[in-house]
Amino acid sequence: MNAPRRSRMLDKMRAGKKVISYKLNFSCPRSAELAALSGFDAIWICQEHVPTDFSTMETQIMAAKCHDCDTIVRVAKGSYSDYIRPLETDASGIMIPHLMSLAEAEEIVHTVRFHPLGRRPVDGGNADGLYCRLGCKEYMKFMNENRLVIVQIEDPEPLSELDKICQVPGIDMIFFGPGDFSHAIGHPAEFDHPEVVRARKMVVETAHKYGKFAGTVSVPSLAQCFAEGYDYVNGGSDVNSISSQCDKIMNDFNDLGM
């Protein structure tokens, strides 16, 4: 009988290894497949800032899974269905943006984890449950143990409760968002600002103190993020890659004097 797919990211991080992802803004599943073929551990699918609907998300998840590549869906903040549908489509994990408090962290776990951690509604008839080919208890246990729940620290407000947030059972990773954090403190895109630097270090140190993983984006650089101790870093995106390639080709063309 077929077994559900394990999370490549979780398996590697639990073994002490680093992981990297690639963010998709475009809707084409070929982009997901191409990044997976390149060897990325995960594809980051965004429903917070990008008009990615659930059908598009499903095809991108399928494309990545063909090459043993995880998918992390940054969800839109909304109802419980917004949070669990990516998991039922067999995303390897979800990322909740702008976590603001300990109470919200506890509510997230209540919403997206099965018994005994939470009260996630049970279906089992979708891709994550192998379309009812898994027994209910096996399904619930496997999903609790093999799917990532990531919360983003992008504001100064939750820092006062970060110690307690990092102790909430059912949350796997604390993810620092330097862009919105710098914006929130009134110094947008000043990634070397002392408060941004302090928060970066605070997130990774506190996460590891309580056995959680730490993630961020590759600012100021991929090498520095991993050197600081981060376990997971997003290393690029389709929009930046295509834009850079287009600029290079046009610069080469203009240098020819055409």
Side-chain angles (χ1 to χ4, degrees):
M1 183 175 178
N2 293 331
R5 182 182 174 275
R6 298 177 62 87
S7 165
R8 173 171 165 175
M9 288 178 63
L10 271 174
D11 284 349
K12 289 183 70 172
M13 290 188 297
R14 286 169 176 166
K17 298 178 181 179
K18 306 291 188 180
V19 296
I20 186 171
S21 71
Y22 188 78
K23 183 174 180 288
L24 298 184
N25 278 47
F26 297 140
S27 61
C28 181
R30 297 182 186 91
S31 298
E33 185 173 25
L34 179 57
L37 284 168
S38 298
F40 284 91
D41 295 301
I43 305 302
W44 175 349
I45 300 169
C46 183
Q47 291 190 312
E48 180 193 13
H49 293 292
V50 184
T52 299
D53 62 25
F54 285 106
S55 293
T56 297
M57 177 192 72
E58 181 179 32
T59 59
Q60 291 178 332
I61 290 171
M62 287 178 172
K65 283 167 57 178
C66 286
H67 306 284
D68 191 32
C69 182
D70 279 8
T71 45
I72 300 298
V73 179
R74 179 163 65 181
V75 298
K77 295 194 79 166
S79 70
Y80 80 83
S81 294
D82 294 308
Y83 291 3
I84 66 169
R85 280 177 186 162
L87 295 171
E88 292 180 339
T89 313
D90 209 22
S92 308
I94 59 170
M95 183 186 296
I96 295 91
H98 291 282
L99 180 78
M100 298 303 287
S101 68
L102 170 64
E104 184 184 0
E106 292 172 338
E107 180 60 25
I108 287 167
V109 172
H110 179 80
T111 300
V112 305
R113 291 297 194 188
F114 291 123
H115 175 83
L117 295 173
R119 293 276 293 276
R120 172 181 162 182
V122 183
D123 190 316
N126 297 303
D128 64 332
L130 299 182
Y131 308 102
C132 289
R133 295 173 67 84
L134 282 180
C136 184
K137 290 185 177 180
E138 179 188 0
Y139 164 61
M140 294 165 70
K141 183 175 187 294
F142 186 89
M143 291 301 124
N144 273 353
E145 294 175 353
N146 293 283
R147 293 297 178 261
L148 277 153
V149 175
I150 305 169
V151 294
Q152 287 193 271
I153 301 296
E154 305 178 271
D155 305 271
E157 287 86 350
L159 292 182
S160 64
E161 295 187 294
L162 188 60
D163 258 66
K164 293 180 179 179
I165 290 168
C166 290
Q167 296 177 65
V168 175
I171 289 178
D172 300 292
M173 180 182 291
I174 314 297
F175 190 102
F176 181 61
D180 276 340
F181 189 90
S182 65
H183 179 208
I185 64 170
H187 296 273
E190 295 179 24
F191 301 122
D192 58 351
H193 188 278
E195 277 303 298
V196 177
V197 173
R198 184 182 77 88
R200 287 175 59 82
K201 293 180 179 178
M202 184 179 180
V203 165
V204 69
E205 290 171 1
T206 310
H208 287 171
K209 178 181 177 181
Y210 295 105
K212 307 295 187 183
F213 300 116
T216 191
V217 294
S218 54
V219 173
S221 71
L222 193 67
Q224 181 171 330
C225 293
F226 283 131
E228 289 175 349
Y230 279 92
D231 307 287
Y232 160 48
V233 180
N234 185 75
S237 67
D238 51 8
V239 289
N240 283 327
S241 297
I242 293 176
S243 181
S244 296
Q245 178 72 356
C246 287
D247 287 346
K248 182 183 183 304
I249 292 171
M250 287 308 303
N251 287 336
D252 291 344
F253 176 76
N254 291 330
D255 287 344
L256 296 173
M258 300 294 180

